[in-house]
Amino acid sequence: MHFYISASALLGLISFFTRSTACGTHGQGLSDEEFDNQMNRLQSRQVPNWVNTELRNVRVFDGFNIGPPTSVFIEGDRIAATGNKAYVVIDGEGKFLIPGLIDSHLHIGDLDGLANATSFGLTSVMNMACRNYTQCAPLRNVPGLATWLSAGVPATGPGSNHAKTMNLPDNLLFHPGDDPTETVAHVVGNGSDWMKITVEVNGPELSAQKALVEQAHAFGIYAVSHAADVESYNEAALSGVDGLQHTPANRAIYSDLLDRLSTSGQFVTATMEIWRIGFGNPGLLALTQGGQPDDRKAVSFDIVVENVVALRKAGVPVLAGTDSVGAQGPYSIPFGLTLHCELENLVSAGYTPAAALRAATVLPNHYHRLGDRGSISPGMRADMVLLNSNPLENIANTRDIARIWVGGVEYKDVAKSTTVCADLLNQIPSNSTAM
């Protein structure tokens, strides 16, 4: 059976139910009281000191394989070549060390969300929109928690599905005739790490997209485009944007577009997981009809999988991202767990476990221009996850976490959730009227 759902509606509807995702595409921000409470918690947090550590007899994932037992040294926030100072020794016999995981597309707007992500071994997260810079700023550089980086206010067109679904005020929209230089300058001036463009019906026209991308590059940042159907994919590819967010669910990506993506150097963050959860919850689907012409409406998760397979075969770089918004209202699209589910999704699309891990480590380090994480080698940031089981034998073993380090600080509150990916389906009764 095929369900029909608006791509943008699925990826935007959570705004009706959440208030605590201050900077996310899907949230409306913290109240003053909530923000004050968060600031008090941040100021009172107790963060352990760095402890020079030797992980002994541990087997390390090098991006392709698991190596023989060796020692890995942590000094301050970095991985060291040798142990030159006093070390606490941790015996890692029988365990496996992978780089800290990176979710390349989510929407975290509060401290609890950041902690939840960290507890599942996420050590860097890419927040895909911020519409309240005051509320976003405190989430940057929180010691002992995942590094939070973010887009700013996305360029979203008036009358578009995002504008209507999220009831965006006029000052948060990009109008025809608006100056791309001023738009990007505002984003950069507020500390955003990249520019985001929302490509959809009534979104910025292709000429405006190209101008926004050009200005982003002129300001020294990269640009990504929300594009959840094939038609939007084509526009985004033509715009010269650095990365495309989501995978079309309305039809197969045609060969000419695949060829263009494979030679352009553009990357894709597939976000298969948001589609898997969306198509797996009839109540969620029932709330998201409309918003796009019929030929742009999403049809099935099978089409998403087939398109990711096609991207893989075409050699398009694919990053792991979830579009998670947390457990709020009647829906749960939780931080952390969903990234592990996304790794399973990638394996289901034909990626090897090693390639799936690269999509959450090496590749985002490169394409998000982080530079100092995503691999375990001297001089890199000490973002690491110690596993009890070999992830190359079963990608689900990435959830079998023994210990986590974020910038050399051990994060003690490791997730012990018994929830599995299948539990995220069928959350909402099909006759739900929660809107």
Side-chain angles (χ1 to χ4, degrees):
M1 179 178 181
H2 283 166
F3 294 97
Y4 290 85
I5 173 175
S6 160
S8 295
L10 173 60
L11 301 170
L13 68 88
I14 302 300
S15 62
F16 287 115
F17 306 104
T18 66
R19 296 189 66 257
S20 58
T21 316
C23 307
T25 295
H26 311 299
Q28 300 302 310
L30 301 172
S31 68
D32 290 344
E33 181 179 0
E34 290 168 334
F35 181 67
D36 289 342
N37 288 339
Q38 177 163 278
M39 292 303 296
N40 290 334
R41 291 174 59 197
L42 283 167
Q43 292 166 6
S44 62
R45 285 185 73 241
Q46 300 295 315
V47 181
N49 293 325
W50 285 313
V51 176
N52 291 338
T53 302
E54 178 186 356
L55 303 178
R56 189 174 292 174
N57 300 318
V58 69
R59 299 181 64 191
V60 177
F61 175 65
D62 65 5
F64 296 92
N65 300 292
I66 298 286
T70 189
S71 286
V72 174
F73 301 93
I74 302 173
E75 285 188 6
D77 68 345
R78 298 286 142 176
I79 299 169
T82 59
N84 297 320
K85 301 180 181 179
Y87 278 82
V88 170
V89 175
I90 295 174
D91 188 0
E93 184 175 1
K95 292 183 168 55
F96 304 84
L97 194 66
I98 64 172
L101 299 172
I102 302 170
D103 190 328
S104 287
H105 187 128
L106 45 57
H107 299 277
I108 289 181
D110 60 24
L111 190 62
D112 288 336
L114 201 56
N116 288 341
T118 309
S119 73
F120 280 91
L122 279 61
T123 56
S124 297
V125 296
M126 304 295 136
N127 187 64
M128 271 295 149
C130 171
R131 294 187 171 89
N132 185 324
Y133 293 114
T134 300
Q135 292 190 5
C136 288
L139 296 176
R140 292 186 179 275
N141 304 312
V142 180
L145 293 181
T147 301
W148 183 95
L149 300 110
S150 186
V153 176
T156 303
S160 67
N161 196 64
H162 273 72
K164 292 184 290 187
T165 302
M166 289 180 281
N167 195 27
L168 294 176
D170 194 66
N171 67 314
L172 293 182
L173 297 175
F174 181 82
H175 298 81
D178 280 357
D179 185 349
T181 302
E182 290 183 6
T183 299
V184 177
H186 181 71
V187 166
V188 173
N190 282 282
S192 303
D193 298 288
W194 62 90
M195 181 71 205
K196 183 181 178 183
I197 305 166
T198 308
V199 182
E200 58 185 337
V201 175
N202 294 323
E205 294 184 354
L206 180 56
S207 59
Q209 294 174 45
K210 290 180 177 180
L212 288 164
V213 171
E214 180 180 347
Q215 287 305 311
H217 293 167
F219 276 94
I221 62 172
Y222 61 97
V224 304
S225 288
H226 164 102
D229 55 71
V230 169
E231 294 76 11
S232 298
Y233 244 55
N234 184 56
E235 281 193 34
L238 290 171
S239 76
V241 75
D242 298 278
L244 286 71
Q245 303 298 301
H246 309 303
T247 304
N250 66 323
R251 67 186 69 195
I253 303 173
Y254 50 87
S255 59
D256 287 352
L257 179 52
L258 285 169
D259 290 343
R260 188 183 309 130
L261 289 170
S262 68
T263 58
S264 67
Q266 294 165 307
F267 67 88
V268 167
T269 304
T271 68
M272 298 174 72
E273 184 62 6
I274 187 65
W275 287 122
R276 187 186 74 90
I277 293 173
F279 283 110
N281 286 284
L284 181 57
L285 288 168
L287 292 170
T288 56
Q289 303 307 303
Q292 294 277 57
D294 287 346
D295 62 353
R296 291 200 181 192
K297 287 183 179 178
V299 175
S300 73
F301 185 61
D302 288 343
I303 290 178
V304 175
V305 175
E306 290 166 5
N307 278 331
V308 174
V309 169
L311 290 167
R312 174 179 60 80
K313 290 181 176 179
V316 178
V318 170
L319 279 55
T322 62
D323 207 13
S324 55
V325 296
Q328 302 156 347
Y331 301 107
S332 179
I333 307 177
F335 303 118
L337 172 62
T338 47
L339 185 66
H340 295 273
C341 299
E342 183 73 354
L343 299 182
E344 294 184 24
N345 294 334
L346 290 173
V347 170
S348 75
Y351 289 85
T352 65
L357 278 175
R358 286 199 299 276
T361 54
V362 177
L363 291 182
N365 176 66
H366 174 72
Y367 286 102
H368 289 296
R369 306 179 184 181
L370 304 176
D372 66 347
R373 61 202 73 188
S375 61
I376 298 173
S377 57
M380 300 295 275
R381 182 178 159 93
D383 289 350
M384 301 183 293
V385 181
L386 188 65
L387 302 175
N388 294 307
S389 310
N390 189 340
L392 301 193
E393 293 180 354
N394 185 340
I395 194 61
N397 288 340
T398 58
R399 298 202 302 271
D400 189 10
I401 299 174
R403 306 176 89 140
I404 300 166
W405 286 267
V406 184
V409 175
E410 184 170 4
Y411 185 80
K412 298 287 190 178
D413 191 16
V414 175
K416 300 299 181 185
S417 172
T418 58
T419 303
V420 297
C421 299
D423 295 334
L424 300 180
L425 307 183
N426 301 310
Q427 297 178 48
I428 309 300
S430 59
N431 62 351
S432 170
T433 56
M435 185 178 288

